[in-house]
Amino acid sequence: YEPGSVFKLLTATAALETGVVTRTTKLRDQAVLTLDGGRASVRNADRGSKGTLTFQDAVAWSRNVVMSKVALMLGRTTSQAATVLHGAWTRLGFGARTGIDVAGEVPGLVRDPAVRPWKQIDLANGAFGQGIAVTLLQLATAFSAMVNGGTLPTPHVVKATGDSPTTTADRGRVMTPA
């Protein structure tokens, strides 16, 4: 499914890790952000503006426009910013199977900007979870990494088979603990 605003935390992760913002960086919210030379735009859900906010407040208030601006700041060009955001998504497991021990898992739909370049609107929409399709399990696994020190777990549903415990290895550190 298209995850929507919960994906803003992935944009926040990419932005904090690359150092383009801190929690207290001040950013200007606005009702409409015009992109791609005026051919596209992003709006906040309430169609309004909160004025100047700290980054952490923009996340708390779930501001689409601010998160779009932050995504655009991830690189000098749209292409570079798209590569950074896409890289954060793939490190957290989006676009790939989680490795859970049940049949029928799907990888979701994550468009690679190296294969088909993203426009500004693609980057902006991705910043708040539109234009991507994920599974609930991928989302839960990524959020687990965010709260357990940055290590991406491999989820499982079977504790043991008979007397043999099931073991799964974590998929490694995908973000700094900070």
Side-chain angles (χ1 to χ4, degrees):
Y1 76 99
E2 198 173 63
S5 288
V6 297
F7 236 55
K8 288 175 180 155
L9 290 178
L10 279 85
T11 303
T13 298
L16 292 168
E17 287 219 316
T18 58
V20 299
V21 295
T22 67
R23 292 179 7 193
T24 58
T25 298
K26 296 206 184 256
L27 300 155
R28 190 174 74 80
D29 187 26
Q30 59 200 68
V32 180
L33 176 64
T34 303
L35 302 164
D36 293 319
R39 293 183 304 276
S41 62
V42 170
R43 298 179 190 281
N44 290 311
D46 65 3
R47 305 263 182 203
S49 169
K50 298 260 184 223
T52 301
L53 298 167
T54 63
F55 180 63
Q56 67 185 11
D57 287 342
V59 172
W61 283 102
S62 194
R63 307 311 289 171
N64 295 345
V65 168
V66 173
M67 296 312 289
S68 297
K69 287 179 172 184
V70 168
L72 290 162
M73 293 165 52
L74 291 173
R76 287 191 329 253
T77 65
T78 302
S79 177
Q80 289 173 346
T83 299
V84 171
L85 187 59
H86 180 264
W89 292 350
T90 56
R91 273 193 319 280
L92 284 161
F94 296 99
R97 291 173 176 84
T98 65
I100 193 165
D101 47 359
V102 295
E105 183 180 19
V106 296
L109 301 172
V110 177
R111 199 174 97 212
D112 186 343
V115 174
R116 189 168 123 216
W118 293 4
K119 296 178 182 171
Q120 286 180 324
I121 190 66
D122 300 319
L123 179 60
N125 284 340
F128 54 89
Q130 293 182 358
I132 181 171
V134 305
T135 67
L136 289 175
L137 189 59
Q138 287 172 328
L139 202 54
T141 303
F143 273 76
S144 294
M146 288 184 206
V147 299
N148 75 7
T151 300
L152 189 65
T154 300
H156 63 94
V157 294
V158 178
K159 186 174 183 174
T161 304
D163 292 332
S164 302
T166 301
T167 59
T168 56
D170 288 334
R171 293 181 279 169
R173 185 171 306 278
V174 295
M175 67 181 72
T176 63

